Amino acid sequence: MKYQEEDYLQMSGIQHFCFCRRQWALINLEQSWEDDARTTAGQIFHEVADDPTIKEKRGDLIIARAVPVSSSSLGLTGKCDVVEFRRSDDGVPVGIHEGSYKIIPVEYKVGHRKQEEWDEVQLCAEAIALEETFGARIEFGQLFYGEERRRKTVEMSKDLRRKTELLAEDMHSAMSYGKIPEAEPSAMCRKCSLQNICMPEALGHSDSEDYLQRMEESN
Ligand code: SF4
């Protein structure tokens, strides 16, 4: 399926959508956002990675920053923090540069690696978009975690690609539906910067209390 440009959604939203669909909807349908210490640190951290004035060439390596990308198959548009072009005989041509190159997207994250695949799906969406732009096949990307000061290599596997495609499809359906899903309080809420706006415990508890009360009344 190909999406029209006017229907493209923010690529970075895929990690919010993966984390909590209500969080994604609050940000994208209600434009709610509240910075906490973690998101502010993340912004500062990204400003360093995203400076488009910085472009480097080191021997067989070209490093580009804040690279705009979009994917018509996913219907997503955004920016890659860093894209590395490593010279390789089985790569693809890149602009005016001599030779061919393998392409590696690198996404910067302020914290540390997680059990869940929120960061991996964003990286995969970036890889798919770069593949469409350059006609390349991207085998892996890398996540750089600020707390660890280390990169994690992520294989662009069939499963990760499929998961990313399905999430993008669901994002478009959620955007068309246009309603904010109910809060489903979980351990994730403790890590959520929108806790004060969402108030999951108030909503979740009152809903479940109402439900239990109705059940009692009906017996
Ligand atoms: S507080 Fe919890 S339910 Fe509410 S948006 Fe955040 S993660 Fe989702």
Side-chain angles (χ1 to χ4, degrees):
M1 176 175 178
K2 297 265 184 207
Y3 291 91
Q4 301 298 315
E5 272 182 37
E6 59 268 25
D7 297 325
Y8 285 2
L9 301 175
Q10 271 305 311
M11 190 170 283
S12 57
I14 200 165
Q15 58 163 331
H16 299 293
F17 195 78
C18 201
F19 172 78
C20 169
R21 292 179 183 212
R22 179 171 165 84
Q23 192 205 56
W24 174 87
L26 286 167
I27 296 167
N28 289 278
L29 302 176
E30 272 200 354
Q31 279 74 49
S32 300
W33 184 252
E34 198 169 64
D35 280 322
D36 59 11
R38 195 166 44 83
T39 59
T40 305
Q43 277 165 16
I44 295 165
F45 187 66
H46 272 93
E47 275 162 21
V48 178
D50 283 357
D51 185 344
T53 58
I54 303 172
K55 207 176 267 174
E56 297 169 44
K57 186 161 188 332
R58 295 186 211 149
D60 287 341
L61 174 68
I62 301 166
I63 303 169
R65 293 170 204 268
V67 180
V69 287
S70 50
S71 160
S72 62
S73 66
L74 299 175
L76 300 179
T77 185
K79 210 166 53 172
C80 293
D81 289 337
V82 169
V83 181
E84 289 188 355
F85 300 91
R86 296 185 192 170
R87 195 157 175 167
S88 164
D89 287 342
D90 53 347
V92 292
V94 173
I96 55 163
H97 299 283
E98 201 180 301
S100 53
Y101 293 81
K102 288 223 167 204
I103 302 170
I104 296 129
V106 185
E107 179 64 23
Y108 277 55
K109 297 291 173 195
V110 70
H112 50 81
R113 61 188 76 193
K114 307 156 187 88
Q115 295 256 307
E116 301 83 357
E117 285 190 312
W118 311 322
D119 299 336
E120 282 79 354
V121 292
Q122 185 185 352
L123 186 68
C124 184
E126 291 172 8
I128 291 170
L130 286 165
E131 287 179 341
E132 289 179 23
T133 304
F134 288 95
R137 182 76 178 169
I138 294 179
E139 290 152 18
F140 67 91
Q142 292 184 320
L143 293 165
F144 177 84
Y145 288 100
E147 271 181 30
E148 301 174 17
R149 311 298 304 169
R150 286 179 58 191
R151 285 186 183 192
K152 173 187 175 187
T153 297
V154 179
E155 187 203 344
M156 295 301 137
S157 66
K158 212 170 144 190
D159 284 353
L160 181 58
R161 287 170 185 272
R162 189 69 195 130
K163 183 171 185 177
T164 306
E165 286 161 5
L166 291 173
L167 280 164
E169 259 177 60
D170 284 355
M171 280 168 73
H172 281 277
S173 303
M175 183 54 91
S176 305
Y177 183 59
K179 292 193 180 141
I180 314 263
E182 295 281 313
E184 288 180 21
S186 73
M188 301 295 176
C189 299
R190 284 201 296 275
K191 301 177 188 171
C192 178
S193 61
L194 293 191
Q195 235 187 106
N196 292 339
I197 294 169
C198 170
M199 294 189 292
E201 296 200 352
L203 288 170
H205 285 172
S206 65
D207 283 355
S208 49
E209 278 164 13
D210 286 352
Y211 175 72
L212 287 172
Q213 199 172 343
R214 282 200 305 277
M215 290 292 285
E216 275 171 15
E217 284 166 0
S218 66
N219 284 334

mmCIF file of all heavy atoms in Angstrom, residues 19-23 26 182-186 188-189 192-195 198-200, ligand 1:
data_model
loop_
_atom_site.group_PDB
_atom_site.id
_atom_site.type_symbol
_atom_site.label_atom_id
_atom_site.label_comp_id
_atom_site.label_asym_id
_atom_site.label_seq_id
_atom_site.Cartn_x
_atom_site.Cartn_y
_atom_site.Cartn_z
ATOM 1 N N PHE A 19 4.779 2.153 22.762
ATOM 2 C CA PHE A 19 4.840 2.269 24.226
ATOM 3 C C PHE A 19 3.426 2.271 24.823
ATOM 4 O O PHE A 19 3.114 1.512 25.727
ATOM 5 C CB PHE A 19 5.584 3.561 24.578
ATOM 6 C CG PHE A 19 5.581 3.928 26.025
ATOM 7 C CD1 PHE A 19 6.427 3.286 26.917
ATOM 8 C CD2 PHE A 19 4.751 4.939 26.504
ATOM 9 C CE1 PHE A 19 6.429 3.637 28.272
ATOM 10 C CE2 PHE A 19 4.747 5.291 27.847
ATOM 11 C CZ PHE A 19 5.590 4.643 28.730
ATOM 12 N N CYS A 20 2.554 3.144 24.284
ATOM 13 C CA CYS A 20 1.168 3.239 24.778
ATOM 14 C C CYS A 20 0.352 4.003 23.736
ATOM 15 O O CYS A 20 0.661 5.149 23.422
ATOM 16 C CB CYS A 20 1.128 3.964 26.124
ATOM 17 S SG CYS A 20 -0.551 4.387 26.640
ATOM 18 N N ARG A 21 -0.700 3.373 23.247
ATOM 19 C CA ARG A 21 -1.500 4.003 22.183
ATOM 20 C C ARG A 21 -2.207 5.260 22.680
ATOM 21 O O ARG A 21 -2.425 6.197 21.926
ATOM 22 C CB ARG A 21 -2.490 2.994 21.607
ATOM 23 C CG ARG A 21 -1.727 1.925 20.869
ATOM 24 C CD ARG A 21 -2.565 0.855 20.265
ATOM 25 N NE ARG A 21 -1.652 -0.113 19.665
ATOM 26 C CZ ARG A 21 -1.911 -0.823 18.595
ATOM 27 N NH1 ARG A 21 -3.072 -0.714 17.998
ATOM 28 N NH2 ARG A 21 -1.021 -1.661 18.105
ATOM 29 N N ARG A 22 -2.544 5.252 23.974
ATOM 30 C CA ARG A 22 -3.178 6.457 24.525
ATOM 31 C C ARG A 22 -2.167 7.611 24.544
ATOM 32 O O ARG A 22 -2.504 8.741 24.234
ATOM 33 C CB ARG A 22 -3.694 6.168 25.940
ATOM 34 C CG ARG A 22 -4.356 7.360 26.606
ATOM 35 C CD ARG A 22 -5.025 6.924 27.893
ATOM 36 N NE ARG A 22 -5.364 8.036 28.755
ATOM 37 C CZ ARG A 22 -6.483 8.761 28.639
ATOM 38 N NH1 ARG A 22 -7.354 8.504 27.687
ATOM 39 N NH2 ARG A 22 -6.726 9.742 29.472
ATOM 40 N N GLN A 23 -0.920 7.318 24.901
ATOM 41 C CA GLN A 23 0.097 8.379 24.910
ATOM 42 C C GLN A 23 0.251 8.963 23.504
ATOM 43 O O GLN A 23 0.280 10.172 23.304
ATOM 44 C CB GLN A 23 1.446 7.836 25.409
ATOM 45 C CG GLN A 23 2.429 8.951 25.698
ATOM 46 C CD GLN A 23 3.882 8.519 25.592
ATOM 47 O OE1 GLN A 23 4.312 8.005 24.550
ATOM 48 N NE2 GLN A 23 4.648 8.743 26.635
ATOM 49 N N LEU A 26 -2.774 11.127 22.723
ATOM 50 C CA LEU A 26 -2.757 12.409 23.437
ATOM 51 C C LEU A 26 -1.808 13.392 22.751
ATOM 52 O O LEU A 26 -2.105 14.571 22.616
ATOM 53 C CB LEU A 26 -2.334 12.196 24.895
ATOM 54 C CG LEU A 26 -3.392 11.565 25.812
ATOM 55 C CD1 LEU A 26 -2.770 11.118 27.132
ATOM 56 C CD2 LEU A 26 -4.537 12.530 26.072
ATOM 57 N N GLU A 182 -9.092 4.643 25.960
ATOM 58 C CA GLU A 182 -9.156 4.662 27.426
ATOM 59 C C GLU A 182 -7.774 4.384 28.012
ATOM 60 O O GLU A 182 -6.989 3.646 27.405
ATOM 61 C CB GLU A 182 -10.090 3.553 27.919
ATOM 62 C CG GLU A 182 -11.538 3.729 27.531
ATOM 63 C CD GLU A 182 -12.247 4.731 28.420
ATOM 64 O OE1 GLU A 182 -12.090 4.630 29.648
ATOM 65 O OE2 GLU A 182 -12.934 5.614 27.873
ATOM 66 N N ALA A 183 -7.530 4.908 29.217
ATOM 67 C CA ALA A 183 -6.271 4.594 29.910
ATOM 68 C C ALA A 183 -6.304 3.153 30.397
ATOM 69 O O ALA A 183 -7.334 2.682 30.867
ATOM 70 C CB ALA A 183 -6.092 5.525 31.090
ATOM 71 N N GLU A 184 -5.197 2.481 30.214
ATOM 72 C CA GLU A 184 -5.057 1.138 30.773
ATOM 73 C C GLU A 184 -3.851 1.170 31.700
ATOM 74 O O GLU A 184 -2.716 0.952 31.259
ATOM 75 C CB GLU A 184 -4.863 0.103 29.656
ATOM 76 C CG GLU A 184 -6.135 -0.138 28.865
ATOM 77 C CD GLU A 184 -5.932 -1.149 27.760
ATOM 78 O OE1 GLU A 184 -4.979 -1.948 27.838
ATOM 79 O OE2 GLU A 184 -6.729 -1.120 26.815
ATOM 80 N N PRO A 185 -4.096 1.492 32.981
ATOM 81 C CA PRO A 185 -2.962 1.662 33.899
ATOM 82 C C PRO A 185 -2.065 0.431 33.936
ATOM 83 O O PRO A 185 -2.560 -0.697 33.992
ATOM 84 C CB PRO A 185 -3.630 1.886 35.260
ATOM 85 C CG PRO A 185 -5.007 2.336 34.946
ATOM 86 C CD PRO A 185 -5.391 1.677 33.656
ATOM 87 N N SER A 186 -0.774 0.666 33.859
ATOM 88 C CA SER A 186 0.176 -0.443 33.893
ATOM 89 C C SER A 186 1.498 0.091 34.449
ATOM 90 O O SER A 186 1.632 1.295 34.722
ATOM 91 C CB SER A 186 0.406 -0.980 32.475
ATOM 92 O OG SER A 186 1.183 -0.058 31.750
ATOM 93 N N MET A 188 4.016 0.710 32.895
ATOM 94 C CA MET A 188 4.559 1.687 31.935
ATOM 95 C C MET A 188 4.261 3.120 32.376
ATOM 96 O O MET A 188 4.998 4.041 32.041
ATOM 97 C CB MET A 188 3.927 1.510 30.540
ATOM 98 C CG MET A 188 4.124 0.171 29.936
ATOM 99 S SD MET A 188 5.849 -0.088 29.637
ATOM 100 C CE MET A 188 5.800 -1.757 29.038
ATOM 101 N N CYS A 189 3.130 3.296 33.072
ATOM 102 C CA CYS A 189 2.698 4.656 33.422
ATOM 103 C C CYS A 189 3.755 5.373 34.263
ATOM 104 O O CYS A 189 3.878 6.588 34.182
ATOM 105 C CB CYS A 189 1.361 4.609 34.160
ATOM 106 S SG CYS A 189 0.056 3.874 33.160
ATOM 107 N N CYS A 192 6.003 7.289 32.065
ATOM 108 C CA CYS A 192 5.333 8.105 31.047
ATOM 109 C C CYS A 192 5.373 9.583 31.408
ATOM 110 O O CYS A 192 4.993 9.975 32.514
ATOM 111 C CB CYS A 192 3.890 7.636 30.914
ATOM 112 S SG CYS A 192 2.946 8.605 29.745
ATOM 113 N N SER A 193 5.805 10.423 30.454
ATOM 114 C CA SER A 193 5.899 11.863 30.703
ATOM 115 C C SER A 193 4.510 12.521 30.694
ATOM 116 O O SER A 193 4.395 13.693 31.020
ATOM 117 C CB SER A 193 6.801 12.516 29.662
ATOM 118 O OG SER A 193 6.253 12.315 28.387
ATOM 119 N N LEU A 194 3.475 11.789 30.277
ATOM 120 C CA LEU A 194 2.129 12.374 30.220
ATOM 121 C C LEU A 194 1.248 11.948 31.391
ATOM 122 O O LEU A 194 0.036 12.153 31.350
ATOM 123 C CB LEU A 194 1.438 11.988 28.916
ATOM 124 C CG LEU A 194 2.023 12.559 27.638
ATOM 125 C CD1 LEU A 194 1.085 12.321 26.471
ATOM 126 C CD2 LEU A 194 2.294 14.049 27.762
ATOM 127 N N GLN A 195 1.872 11.373 32.417
ATOM 128 C CA GLN A 195 1.106 10.873 33.558
ATOM 129 C C GLN A 195 0.169 11.922 34.136
ATOM 130 O O GLN A 195 -0.979 11.631 34.441
ATOM 131 C CB GLN A 195 2.095 10.452 34.637
ATOM 132 C CG GLN A 195 1.892 9.026 35.074
ATOM 133 C CD GLN A 195 2.775 8.690 36.249
ATOM 134 O OE1 GLN A 195 2.277 8.593 37.353
ATOM 135 N NE2 GLN A 195 4.060 8.540 36.017
ATOM 136 N N CYS A 198 -2.704 12.472 31.620
ATOM 137 C CA CYS A 198 -3.519 11.263 31.416
ATOM 138 C C CYS A 198 -4.266 10.849 32.681
ATOM 139 O O CYS A 198 -5.409 10.436 32.629
ATOM 140 C CB CYS A 198 -2.602 10.135 30.941
ATOM 141 S SG CYS A 198 -3.373 8.529 30.902
ATOM 142 N N MET A 199 -3.614 10.994 33.819
ATOM 143 C CA MET A 199 -4.137 10.562 35.123
ATOM 144 C C MET A 199 -4.696 9.135 35.060
ATOM 145 O O MET A 199 -5.881 8.905 35.288
ATOM 146 C CB MET A 199 -5.202 11.546 35.610
ATOM 147 C CG MET A 199 -4.596 12.913 35.900
ATOM 148 S SD MET A 199 -5.722 14.028 36.709
ATOM 149 C CE MET A 199 -6.891 14.319 35.430
ATOM 150 N N PRO A 200 -3.868 8.182 34.704
ATOM 151 C CA PRO A 200 -4.357 6.820 34.462
ATOM 152 C C PRO A 200 -4.974 6.170 35.687
ATOM 153 O O PRO A 200 -5.963 5.448 35.565
ATOM 154 C CB PRO A 200 -3.095 6.060 34.029
ATOM 155 C CG PRO A 200 -1.960 6.825 34.625
ATOM 156 C CD PRO A 200 -2.406 8.258 34.619
HETATM 157 S S1 SF4 B 1 0.051 7.429 31.910
HETATM 158 FE FE1 SF4 B 1 -0.085 5.266 31.281
HETATM 159 S S2 SF4 B 1 -2.064 5.028 30.222
HETATM 160 FE FE2 SF4 B 1 -1.586 7.222 30.374
HETATM 161 S S3 SF4 B 1 -0.602 7.732 28.443
HETATM 162 FE FE3 SF4 B 1 1.037 7.254 29.899
HETATM 163 S S4 SF4 B 1 1.453 5.073 29.698
HETATM 164 FE FE4 SF4 B 1 -0.494 5.495 28.679
#
